[in-house]
Each structure stands twice: as C-alpha cells, then as structure tokens.
Amino acid sequence: MQKYVLGFMFDKLKDKVVLIKKSKPKWQEGFLNGVGGKVEAFDGSEASAMCREFYEETGVKTREDEWSFLLEMEEPGNFSVVVFYCFSDKYKNAKTMEHEEVCVISIEEDWTFIRENSISNVPW
C-alpha cells in the first residue's frame, strides 16, 4: 500500500497558509492542495517524508518536530495519506521549486477563493 504525506504550513497568526496548485494526478489538476507526496523507503518516518517533500516543493527546510500530526486518511488496500500541520514564519520563504506553483494564501481574505479552487477536503 502506498503511503503519502500532506502538509499545511500556516503563519503563526493563522492568517496565511502555504498551498500548491496541482498539475497531477489528473483529478487534482488546477486545484489547490497542501504540500506533500509519496513516502519513500529511505524516509525514516512520515514526518521525515513531510520535511523532505516540503523542502523539495517549496525550498523551505523544516524539522520533524515542527510538524504536528493531524489525521490519516486511508483507502484500505490502496493508499493512505498522513496529514500534518505547522505554524511557522518560514512560510514567507516558500517559493515554487518544481512544476507545481506554490501559493501563500490569506485565509480570511481569500476564503471563497480557497473553497472554490481547492480539493474538496482542503477547506475542512
């Protein structure tokens, strides 16, 4: 079963969040989601995978102890997604590093935008 990580970095005031505009998989194309990806065999833990994926996609280095576990979503026998969150001023340094655009979104100002342009469970 493939395991994935998904992370949401908020600023310390909980006003902004780092999201990524997805280009794959096809069903997520064009929508915003948290930052993440596959847990690889060389990752020591899900939190380690979260740090690696966040760095690869945003250029922001984090430590495992900065990320807090939120929940795990699972489709039995197929995949699971471990969801993390953190509060950090490092969000200011997030930038697009790969082919998917990294966005820092104002939660209060852009709430309607987030609801209309993200994967269905992101606003939750």
Side-chain angles (χ1 to χ4, degrees):
M1 177 168 73
Q2 181 62 57
K3 189 166 271 201
Y4 298 88
V5 291
L6 182 65
F8 296 90
M9 178 181 279
F10 298 88
D11 70 313
K12 290 183 178 180
L13 297 175
K14 304 175 187 127
D15 290 331
K16 295 178 175 41
V17 64
V18 177
L19 298 175
I20 195 160
K21 189 171 184 181
K22 299 295 293 174
S23 62
K24 61 181 182 172
K26 187 72 174 165
W27 69 273
Q28 292 186 19
E29 185 177 357
F31 290 103
L32 297 169
N33 201 356
V35 176
K38 290 181 182 178
V39 176
E40 303 290 352
F42 55 80
D43 290 316
S45 65
E46 287 91 3
S48 174
M50 186 69 252
C51 293
R52 178 183 53 77
E53 285 288 346
F54 202 83
Y55 176 70
E56 288 175 359
E57 306 227 1
T58 71
V60 175
K61 289 187 178 184
T62 58
R63 299 180 321 273
E64 290 183 41
D65 64 349
E66 291 180 87
W67 293 99
S68 297
F69 172 83
L70 178 63
L71 59 90
E72 184 169 0
M73 301 179 288
E74 183 178 354
E75 186 175 298
N78 194 10
F79 68 89
S80 72
V81 181
V82 179
V83 182
F84 292 92
Y85 68 94
C86 73
F87 302 102
S88 173
D89 286 333
K90 293 179 182 180
Y91 81 92
K92 296 174 187 174
N93 301 319
K95 60 185 178 242
T96 301
M97 299 296 290
E98 296 185 340
H99 61 281
E100 294 179 320
E101 181 184 359
V102 172
C103 307
V104 176
I105 307 285
S106 171
I107 296 168
E108 186 174 326
E109 292 176 23
D110 298 325
W111 183 242
T112 300
F113 178 80
I114 292 170
R115 290 182 59 88
E116 293 174 355
N117 294 284
S118 63
I119 304 303
S120 62
N121 58 1
V122 168
W124 175 80

